[in-house]
Amino acid sequence: MNDLSDLYQEIIMDHRRNPRNEGLPADHTHTADGFNPFCGDKVSVAVKIEDGSIIDVGFSGEGCAISMASASLMTEAVSGKSIDDATASFEAFRKLLTDGDTSGGVDLGDLEALAGVRAYPTRIKCAILSWHTFKSALENDSAPVTTE
Ligand code: ZN
């Protein structure tokens, strides 16, 4: 079990140090901003959608290691997916964080590295922030997202 959590720790630190898809695509079609007042994490997510698929996605922001690693992991998880599949990943990831349930039939891949935050309810907000912001961007909801 320790080996697994070391591996997960490594994935999180790798995404923290080398964020994927950092920066908002200039030609994005959807965008939203998110804020987690409990930790001070801020994230903006921009998405380019064409024909119901996410063809480009990026984020910018500042915050704790969990929030930034999660944003990086999120962009990797949804890039190239249809909106339906990306929404299914969001639901599966939320389930993983809230009840540790991975039975949703969605392969979460490296996102499972964040499963450990389940033990720390305040960190769940850090991990889910970028996903809520992504979801809000899809819906083109202009109200800022808050985890409060
Ligand atoms: Zn945080």
Side-chain angles (χ1 to χ4, degrees), residues 60-144:
S60 70
E62 50 184 56
C64 67
I66 296 288
S67 66
M68 293 298 106
S70 181
S72 173
L73 282 158
M74 181 276 291
T75 60
E76 275 204 324
V78 302
S79 186
K81 281 193 176 155
S82 69
I83 290 173
D84 285 351
D85 286 350
T87 304
S89 294
F90 168 76
E91 294 300 341
F93 180 63
R94 188 164 62 176
K95 266 200 147 136
L96 173 72
L97 290 189
T98 52
D99 22 275
D101 180 3
T102 56
S103 62
V106 175
D107 180 13
L108 289 169
D110 282 352
L111 290 172
E112 290 194 14
L114 289 162
V117 307
R118 193 170 77 251
Y120 310 95
T122 55
R123 307 321 295 271
I124 293 175
K125 294 177 191 297
C126 301
I128 203 85
L129 173 67
S130 58
W131 284 88
H132 277 300
T133 308
F134 167 71
K135 194 92 192 320
S136 170
L138 290 188
E139 288 154 9
N140 250 340
D141 184 352
S142 57

Side-chain angles (χ1 to χ4, degrees), residues 15-72:
H15 278 265
R16 173 63 177 144
R17 276 194 295 264
N18 306 297
R20 320 299 199 269
N21 304 303
E22 195 175 26
L24 307 180
D27 54 350
H28 63 258
T29 54
H30 295 63
T31 184
D33 299 316
F35 177 54
N36 172 17
F38 292 92
C39 184
D41 309 316
K42 283 181 204 162
V43 66
S44 300
V45 174
V47 189
K48 185 177 183 188
I49 295 174
E50 246 175 51
D51 299 328
S53 288
I54 293 145
I55 59 170
D56 202 1
V57 55
F59 78 98
S60 70
E62 50 184 56
C64 67
I66 296 288
S67 66
M68 293 298 106
S70 181
S72 173

